[in-house]
Amino acid sequence: KAGVTQTPRYLIKTRGQQVTLSCSPISGHRSVSWYQQTPGQGLQFLFEYFSETQRNKGNFPGRFSGRQFSNSRSEMNVSTLELGDSALYLCASTLGGTTEAFFGQGTRLTVV
Amino acid sequence: GNSVTQMEGPVTLSEEAFLTINCTYTATGYPSLFWYVQYPGEGLQLLLKATKADDKGSNKGFEATYRKETTSFHLEKGSVQVSDSAVYFCALADNYGQNFVFGPGTRLSVLP
């Protein structure tokens, strides 16, 4: 079966702009989580959605937001981009009730 | 809250050497434990997991045993290969597959 798909793979944005990243989970998976990965901070949890509801949230400013659609696809949005937002953004999906997370290849965001 | 600590490396080994990457955790209840691996330019892939005390997860020659008494889940491999060069993340999640917490990652380089 198809894995977790993240689009786009690469993005270059200018400081102050906004960006939307997309994640399509494995078919049947209802939980989608987002992570930010940077060399300095490692892998940091952003938020998790389950059945269109945000279930958990990490310690990020309100510029970072997300949503989940009825087909479980999820988007995350970052507004007013800062240079420090440059990172690899990873999405993971789980079936819900199981204990394994499947990751996409990530979206590499560069803010210039 | 829950947390994961692991040796940050980098770890550099010669091919066929023995590998140990230490991981300890702090958690309430009875979490599930995981090792994920990240190859350059890729997302995270599940390497192995253990869902209860004394369970041993194994895959591709890697092993880790869930030790509740020492709150540890050390990763071992008897003979590493150049192709094992990657970043390894120790992680835990609650038994509902939520609240994943990742360690900082350990970069492994295996030299021929």
Side-chain angles (χ1 to χ4, degrees):
Chain A
K1 58 184 176 181
V4 177
T5 303
Q6 291 187 245
T7 57
R9 288 291 311 276
Y10 303 93
L11 266 180
I12 299 175
K13 290 287 188 179
T14 303
R15 196 170 43 180
Q17 288 185 313
Q18 75 163 14
V19 67
T20 299
L21 312 182
S22 179
C23 172
S24 294
I26 291 173
S27 178
H29 285 199
R30 297 166 65 191
S31 169
V32 174
S33 298
W34 289 88
Y35 298 85
Q36 182 195 64
Q37 186 178 27
T38 59
Q41 299 296 320
L43 202 61
Q44 294 187 285
F45 171 72
L46 281 155
F47 28 64
E48 184 217 357
Y49 286 86
F50 181 83
S51 293
E52 302 179 65
T53 301
Q54 186 180 88
R55 192 160 62 174
N56 291 295
K57 188 177 189 303
N59 188 27
F60 277 79
R63 299 186 297 107
F64 292 81
S65 63
R67 58 178 175 169
Q68 185 180 35
F69 301 95
S70 58
N71 61 358
S72 293
R73 188 178 71 86
S74 177
E75 290 180 347
M76 67 163 279
N77 185 277
V78 187
S79 63
T80 318
L81 284 165
E82 301 177 0
L83 296 179
D85 298 332
S86 296
L88 179 67
Y89 290 87
L90 293 166
C91 163
S93 75
T94 63
L95 190 56
T98 64
T99 59
E100 182 174 339
F102 294 83
F103 283 80
Q105 290 184 296
T107 294
R108 169 102 28 213
L109 172 65
T110 302
V111 181
V112 297
Chain B
N2 296 346
S3 66
V4 174
T5 302
Q6 63 178 107
M7 53 192 292
E8 294 198 29
V11 174
T12 302
L13 296 173
S14 298
E15 203 164 25
E16 299 184 2
F18 184 84
L19 169 71
T20 299
I21 301 177
N22 290 337
C23 171
T24 56
Y25 68 90
T26 302
T28 55
Y30 303 95
S32 294
L33 302 175
F34 308 82
W35 277 100
Y36 280 84
V37 58
Q38 185 178 32
Y39 298 102
E42 300 292 324
L44 276 66
Q45 302 174 23
L46 179 67
L47 182 59
L48 52 83
K49 68 178 181 181
T51 58
K52 61 182 186 295
D54 299 325
D55 268 1
K56 177 186 283 188
S58 61
N59 185 26
K60 299 180 181 179
F62 291 89
E63 293 183 340
T65 301
Y66 189 144
R67 301 285 189 199
K68 187 166 176 59
E69 63 276 15
T70 54
T71 61
S72 66
F73 193 55
H74 303 324
L75 182 68
E76 296 182 337
K77 186 175 184 182
S79 177
V80 293
Q81 305 300 311
V82 173
S83 57
D84 293 328
S85 297
V87 181
Y88 292 82
F89 293 88
C90 184
L92 64 81
D94 64 31
N95 282 330
Y96 298 97
Q98 299 181 44
N99 299 316
F100 269 84
V101 175
F102 287 85
T106 300
R107 182 174 299 279
L108 169 67
S109 295
V110 180
L111 305 178

